Amino acid sequence: MNQPFDVDSFIRSRKQTRAISDRLKVLASDYLATLSPLVRPQPLFGEYLQGAPRGSGRETQHHFKEFRTLFDKHAGQRPFNLINELEVPLSIINSTPELFPLEYDHQLSSGSTVRVTSPSRWVIGYNSFDLRRFRQVAQDPNRSGSELHRFVLHYLMLFHCFSRAAGLGRLLKGLRFPLSFQCLDDFGELPFCVVSSPVQSSLPGDEVIRNSTEISGNLSFEELISQDSIDRLQDDLREDLLLILQTAS
């Protein structure tokens, strides 16, 4: 989208984007809540998790060893530089998944950097562990080491549980909200779980972004959802079945 900046059309596009995004997030949150029992850490870690019932010794030991390796790999790296070791049993304060806005930096041709929010992709976190607060703690030179430790622990726990949930990725893809694992700005190599909607959003040209940020007075912007992206929606199952019909004829 490289159209010249027009205030009225931009406001309309932003309102439409927000309305579509709100609806998509409601659907994604509902699916996530329904599937959350599949990614609870308690069955995987058993007695290695505070308050959890004893599990299968060999299996829970395997998951804990994998998780300890994962934690050791990422916690000591930038920007965290944690030296705290895992204490058993692990203390997971809240294991209810929640969706948080996905944000990233975009550099304009002028050299300034804009913080962009996606209205069609969300980061999965645990309730009470807001992603923006995690970013603030990670960037704060006077941060609390124990608070940062809890954030890293919980987001890595969620990544471990989602990445070990057999078939969950295929199920979410079938629901049109595919799951992916990716790194985010400001968090180094830490892997996050990201849910995408069936509708894509994108950035307009730098001129539109620059004018918008100058009017708002802050360097933040939200991707836009166009009607074209909705018109391009496809039913994957329908396409697969049509292909079968063609090849079987």
Side-chain angles (χ1 to χ4, degrees):
M1 293 186 291
N2 292 310
Q3 74 276 16
F5 188 73
D6 177 82
V7 174
D8 290 336
S9 63
F10 175 73
I11 291 176
R12 181 171 59 254
S13 181
R14 190 171 60 181
K15 285 183 177 179
Q16 292 173 339
T17 292
R18 177 47 42 207
I20 294 296
S21 178
D22 288 345
R23 175 56 178 160
L24 292 171
K25 186 178 181 182
V26 167
L27 289 173
S29 298
D30 186 39
Y31 293 150
L32 184 62
T34 302
L35 298 173
S36 61
L38 300 178
V39 289
R40 294 175 66 247
Q42 289 81 358
L44 299 182
F45 288 87
E47 63 273 19
Y48 289 97
L49 205 64
Q50 194 172 69
R54 186 174 181 83
S56 171
R58 181 175 298 179
E59 186 176 351
T60 55
Q61 185 180 45
H62 172 72
H63 279 287
F64 176 73
K65 285 184 176 180
E66 278 195 340
F67 183 74
R68 183 170 57 188
T69 300
L70 181 70
F71 184 87
D72 291 343
K73 175 183 177 181
H74 293 285
Q77 293 184 354
R78 293 182 179 180
F80 313 118
N81 301 316
L82 289 170
I83 59 175
N84 315 56
E85 294 184 358
L86 287 177
E87 295 184 1
V88 180
L90 302 174
S91 177
I92 300 298
I93 299 174
N94 192 316
S95 59
T96 302
E98 184 173 327
L99 296 179
F100 298 107
L102 185 148
E103 298 179 355
Y104 62 93
D105 288 331
H106 172 72
Q107 188 170 33
L108 300 176
S109 55
S110 61
S112 58
T113 300
V114 175
R115 172 64 62 163
V116 178
T117 301
S118 171
S120 60
R121 293 175 293 164
W122 303 273
V123 179
I124 306 176
Y126 283 137
N127 185 275
S128 303
F129 286 88
D130 185 90
L131 185 61
R132 289 186 178 180
R133 176 58 185 165
F134 187 10
R135 181 177 284 109
Q136 291 172 355
V137 174
Q139 295 177 338
D140 186 357
N142 300 314
R143 64 200 179 196
S144 163
S146 59
E147 184 179 12
L148 181 61
H149 183 276
R150 287 193 296 271
F151 270 105
V152 174
L153 171 67
H154 281 74
Y155 274 91
L156 282 178
M157 176 63 70
L158 191 141
F159 167 76
H160 177 87
C161 293
F162 269 80
S163 63
R164 299 303 184 274
L168 182 61
R170 294 191 299 274
L171 183 55
L172 285 169
K173 183 178 180 180
L175 293 170
R176 293 187 169 192
F177 286 83
L179 173 72
S180 62
F181 305 113
Q182 63 186 73
C183 300
L184 304 178
D185 288 345
D186 306 322
F187 296 103
E189 298 300 317
L190 191 77
F192 288 87
C193 304
V194 176
V195 169
S196 301
S197 81
V199 176
Q200 293 184 345
S201 54
S202 60
L203 287 176
D206 280 4
E207 180 184 356
V208 175
I209 301 175
R210 183 168 54 252
N211 282 310
S212 173
T213 55
E214 287 178 354
I215 291 173
S216 65
N218 63 74
L219 291 175
S220 62
F221 192 84
E222 184 176 41
E223 293 176 345
L224 300 175
I225 297 175
S226 67
Q227 183 172 335
D228 288 343
S229 65
I230 298 176
D231 293 339
R232 289 194 299 268
L233 276 176
Q234 292 182 335
D235 188 322
D236 291 340
L237 178 59
R238 177 180 180 275
E239 298 301 321
D240 287 344
L241 295 180
L242 287 175
L243 181 61
I244 291 173
L245 285 176
Q246 294 174 5
T247 57
S249 59

